[in-house]
Amino acid sequence: MVALAGGVGGAKLADGLAGCLEPTSLTIIVNTADDFTHLGLQISPDIDTVTYTLAGLADPERGWGRGDESWAFMETMAALGGPTWFRLGDRDLALHHFRSLRQAQGIPLSSITAEVRESLGVRPSIVPMSDERVRTIVSTDEGELAFQTYFVARKCEPVVKAIRFEGIDAAGPAPGVLESLEAADIVIFCPSNPWVSLDPILAIPAIREQVGRKPVLMISPIISGKTLKGPAAKMYAELGVEPSALAVARHYEELLSGIIIDEVDAHLEETIRSLGIQVKTDQTIMRSRSERVQLVQSLLEFSRSVLMKEDAQ
Ligand code: FO1
């Protein structure tokens, strides 16, 4: 099984999958268009969120960074009058230094990600979408903003007009991405932001093509027109689409075999089904580890029925 994931929502489902599947049968392909260089360090927020979550180290409240964290570096930076808008905990800082050091030695991001994953005892594969540099640029009513400036510094407040992925034309899939997709029975789109977490992965033509050959299931990140975390619903509205699980299904109409939508959105079931997409309704909010596992069990059951129907056709 291959899962495509962005940050916090994606990491939670990936953790549920890791809890239910043989580690060797799961690969998580992670968005790297959120990556940036900050304070001279190479930061890969989504890779780190997925890795920390699967290692059981993620902060349960924030979802990103580590739970067992101290903030002496940030406090000292603040006292110096330096930039503190992007918070780097002391332990987390070591990881960004390690990544920067290895990159300066010419080691590709995919290899560094594997080194970190192994040292933290995480067994499923975590693969960046690309070893090449791709950067999400958000075009807003305040002009073009680098993703983390829009997301963290400006708290997603500017109105989004368009989104582009700088560097995407020169980016190829990282080693392991196409191989894992070729071997997969099914591809899962985690409940991540379609615009800025899943779209960048699928904007790499070879990835989209390979995903297009497989049955794809997704869990809608939009529940009752809203997101639990992050700006996906706001982005849909600002880009002229009413945010809903139906909008998400339409976004990926060409790729999706099935979608799980929250039970509060059951009224959308028939319209989504009329797009030729199989639908299951369930409780999709993952407040605890047991809810992650419950949702994954529901997803696995759904995937068996989707695969059976596809086989019968
Ligand atoms: N998100 C924030 O909202 N504020 C932060 O200060 C912040 C710091 C941070 C540090 C390391 C890291 O790996 C992630 C961090 N994030 C922070 C989360 C992250 O930038 C976003 O959640 C993702 O890029 C969106 O998927």
Side-chain angles (χ1 to χ4, degrees), residues 36-225:
F36 74 134
T37 306
H38 184 59
L39 302 172
L41 301 170
Q42 302 301 325
I43 320 255
S44 295
D46 287 358
I47 287 180
D48 292 351
T49 299
V50 171
T51 309
Y52 284 150
T53 303
L54 266 65
L57 293 172
D59 183 86
E61 298 302 317
R62 293 189 308 272
W64 52 265
R66 297 176 61 135
D68 59 338
E69 197 51 284
S70 59
W71 301 91
F73 170 76
M74 275 286 105
E75 284 157 20
T76 312
M77 185 62 82
L80 290 167
T84 55
W85 61 272
F86 195 81
R87 293 191 289 143
L88 296 174
D90 299 334
R91 286 192 166 82
D92 190 31
L93 194 58
L95 172 52
H96 307 306
H97 266 285
F98 178 77
R99 178 183 297 114
S100 308
L101 180 73
R102 298 295 277 153
Q103 281 198 333
Q105 291 167 342
I107 312 294
L109 182 61
S110 51
S111 305
I112 304 167
T113 303
E115 288 175 357
V116 173
R117 172 181 73 72
E118 277 161 30
S119 66
L120 294 181
V122 174
R123 296 189 54 212
S125 283
I126 300 174
V127 191
M129 66 188 207
S130 179
D131 276 336
E132 276 94 41
R133 185 182 189 280
V134 179
R135 295 292 177 266
T136 296
I137 307 289
V138 189
S139 171
T140 74
D141 57 348
E142 296 179 8
E144 287 208 320
L145 300 175
F147 181 76
Q148 297 297 343
T149 306
Y150 162 79
F151 191 88
V152 178
R154 293 291 298 110
K155 300 185 171 59
C156 309
E157 280 166 14
V159 175
V160 176
K161 293 179 167 173
I163 296 159
R164 67 184 173 87
F165 309 121
E166 196 178 82
I168 201 79
D169 294 338
V177 167
L178 293 184
E179 295 83 344
S180 65
L181 285 168
E182 268 161 35
D185 294 323
I186 199 148
V187 177
I188 308 295
F189 291 180
C190 290
S192 296
N193 186 321
W195 299 102
V196 291
S197 296
L198 300 174
D199 280 0
I201 307 177
L202 294 164
I204 297 177
I207 298 185
R208 191 181 176 96
E209 202 175 298
Q210 193 55 46
V211 168
R213 296 201 185 107
K214 299 286 169 173
V216 177
L217 295 188
M218 129 165 248
I219 294 176
S220 172
I222 298 199
I223 302 172
S224 193

Side-chain angles (χ1 to χ4, degrees), residues 23-41:
T24 49
S25 68
L26 175 63
T27 298
I28 304 144
I29 301 174
V30 185
N31 171 42
T32 55
D34 288 15
D35 293 15
F36 74 134
T37 306
H38 184 59
L39 302 172
L41 301 170

